[in-house]
Amino acid sequence: MEWSAALPTFLVTLREGVEAALVVGIVLACLSKAQARDLNPWVYAGVGGGAIASAGIGALFVSGLQAVARSRSTYAPVLKPLLEAGFCLVAIAMLSWMLIWMTQQAKSLKGEIETAVKAAVKPEREDRERPKIWHSAGWGVFTLVFIAVLREGFETVVFITAQFEQGLAPVLGAIFGLLGAVAIGFLLFEWGVKIDLRRFFQIMGILLLAIVSGLVISALKNINAAAAVLSSLDPQYAQICASGAASCLLGPQVWDTTAFLPDDRFPGVVFKALFGYRSHLYLAQAIAYVLFLATAGTLYFQSLSNKTS
């Protein structure tokens, strides 16, 4: 098993999991303040429901890819890399949006959650209505937590699916990342340990930028593979690939560092997992990588400078 493939999903899941843990911790603190701790089981049910729903979505995605891989259709070899490229693009869009949006909204997150919890609990109602109100409040709290966990879980699931060909390692990385997020949540809300969350999210954000930039290279690689297979399967698409070119759609090769830094052995495999390094890189991939990293990086650092912690 290639353990380096677990590093990106570990980091992504750790960051997403800590965000979900913050939401859960704030909700529990609000319920305690409102003397509504009997609603805590609804919070835990929301966490469990969101996690199960995320796992179910992931299973559906992986089953779809496996079904395409087993298909005997003429164009199945084309559809599989196209689907993988699609998952890469969705993961790029979702993780980039999450990174920039969450950084901008972090300051108001606690207030928004407190408002939502207060609206669900409504403690000013008469005690005689309490059973009916508490049932309704429970569903409100459950929905709030379920959506928060499902949102973070769905982003992680899409990322893992984009790493489908790397086997079980990404799944194990996600499990350890989730365990790490749970541990941080307990340190913060149960044991009162002081953690510099601002610094944590800044460092994780920079690493996530590099990881997502690597997905850009993977997406283009899959699109190129689909075009190459299509041109060989059907004569009417033979002109898709440039004649005599090193690649079908990606242009000339920028470098070949296989001799001294291959991306399938240490340390190249770690650089590949964390920073998108490839021992074979083509012009279109290099341009897309730099453009994405420059654009997303600029937006991210602008979001950091425009907010106060």
Side-chain angles (χ1 to χ4, degrees), residues 100 116 165 178 205 221 282 284 291 295 303:
I100 297 168
E165 288 188 335
L178 182 60
K221 177 184 176 181
Y282 297 91
L291 285 177
T295 303
S303 67

Side-chain angles (χ1 to χ4, degrees), residues 141-246:
V141 170
F142 171 86
T143 303
L144 174 65
V145 174
F146 175 83
I147 292 175
V149 174
L150 179 61
R151 181 185 65 213
E152 309 299 345
F154 181 72
E155 291 168 355
T156 304
V157 161
V158 172
F159 181 81
I160 293 174
T161 307
Q163 314 294 317
F164 171 70
E165 288 188 335
Q166 300 187 43
L168 189 61
V171 178
L172 294 177
I175 292 172
F176 284 109
L178 182 60
L179 292 175
V182 171
I184 290 175
F186 271 97
L187 288 174
L188 287 171
F189 294 102
E190 289 293 325
W191 298 315
V193 176
K194 300 295 183 182
I195 297 176
D196 189 347
L197 285 175
R198 179 173 177 270
R199 184 65 60 191
F200 170 83
F201 280 116
Q202 285 180 350
I203 294 173
M204 296 297 291
I206 292 171
L207 289 173
L208 190 60
L209 274 175
I211 291 170
V212 175
S213 299
L215 285 179
V216 173
I217 294 178
S218 297
L220 290 176
K221 177 184 176 181
N222 286 321
I223 292 172
N224 182 76
V229 173
L230 182 62
S231 66
S232 64
L233 285 177
D234 195 329
Q236 66 176 322
Y237 298 110
Q239 301 303 316
I240 291 179
C241 296
S243 177

Side-chain angles (χ1 to χ4, degrees), residues 37-263:
R37 290 184 177 177
D38 48 341
L39 291 177
N40 284 4
W42 290 91
V43 177
Y44 304 134
V47 173
I52 292 172
S54 299
I57 293 171
L60 286 175
F61 286 166
V62 172
S63 297
L65 284 173
Q66 290 177 337
V68 170
R70 293 192 300 265
S71 173
R72 296 184 179 181
S73 170
T74 304
Y75 292 100
V78 179
L79 185 57
K80 183 175 180 291
L82 280 180
L83 283 175
E84 292 173 351
F87 282 120
C88 285
L89 294 174
V90 172
I92 291 167
M94 292 187 66
L95 291 172
S96 301
W97 175 83
M98 176 275 300
L99 179 63
I100 297 168
W101 179 86
M102 189 63 186
T103 303
Q104 294 173 336
Q105 299 297 319
K107 184 179 178 181
S108 60
L109 177 65
K110 184 172 183 290
E112 292 174 357
I113 294 173
E114 288 177 342
T115 301
V117 173
K118 288 177 181 178
V121 174
K122 296 179 181 177
E124 73 278 8
R125 297 291 184 85
E126 297 179 6
D127 288 342
R128 61 185 174 83
E129 298 179 8
R130 188 178 179 88
K132 179 180 178 181
I133 293 170
W134 243 231
H135 180 75
S136 175
W139 280 111
V141 170
F142 171 86
T143 303
L144 174 65
V145 174
F146 175 83
I147 292 175
V149 174
L150 179 61
R151 181 185 65 213
E152 309 299 345
F154 181 72
E155 291 168 355
T156 304
V157 161
V158 172
F159 181 81
I160 293 174
T161 307
Q163 314 294 317
F164 171 70
E165 288 188 335
Q166 300 187 43
L168 189 61
V171 178
L172 294 177
I175 292 172
F176 284 109
L178 182 60
L179 292 175
V182 171
I184 290 175
F186 271 97
L187 288 174
L188 287 171
F189 294 102
E190 289 293 325
W191 298 315
V193 176
K194 300 295 183 182
I195 297 176
D196 189 347
L197 285 175
R198 179 173 177 270
R199 184 65 60 191
F200 170 83
F201 280 116
Q202 285 180 350
I203 294 173
M204 296 297 291
I206 292 171
L207 289 173
L208 190 60
L209 274 175
I211 291 170
V212 175
S213 299
L215 285 179
V216 173
I217 294 178
S218 297
L220 290 176
K221 177 184 176 181
N222 286 321
I223 292 172
N224 182 76
V229 173
L230 182 62
S231 66
S232 64
L233 285 177
D234 195 329
Q236 66 176 322
Y237 298 110
Q239 301 303 316
I240 291 179
C241 296
S243 177
S247 67
C248 184
L249 300 176
L250 303 179
Q253 186 170 265
V254 175
W255 70 54
D256 181 357
T257 55
T258 308
F260 59 90
L261 191 60
D263 60 19

Side-chain angles (χ1 to χ4, degrees), residues 2-5 7 257-279:
E2 189 55 76
W3 288 104
S4 62
L7 285 174
T257 55
T258 308
F260 59 90
L261 191 60
D263 60 19
D264 59 351
R265 291 198 296 272
F266 184 85
V269 68
V270 177
F271 296 153
K272 177 182 178 180
L274 294 180
F275 308 113
Y277 167 77
R278 297 293 189 279
S279 53

Side-chain angles (χ1 to χ4, degrees), residues 100 103-104 294-307:
I100 297 168
T103 303
Q104 294 173 336
T295 303
T298 299
L299 293 173
Y300 174 63
F301 285 108
Q302 283 179 348
S303 67
L304 285 178
S305 62
N306 290 339
K307 81 174 187 70

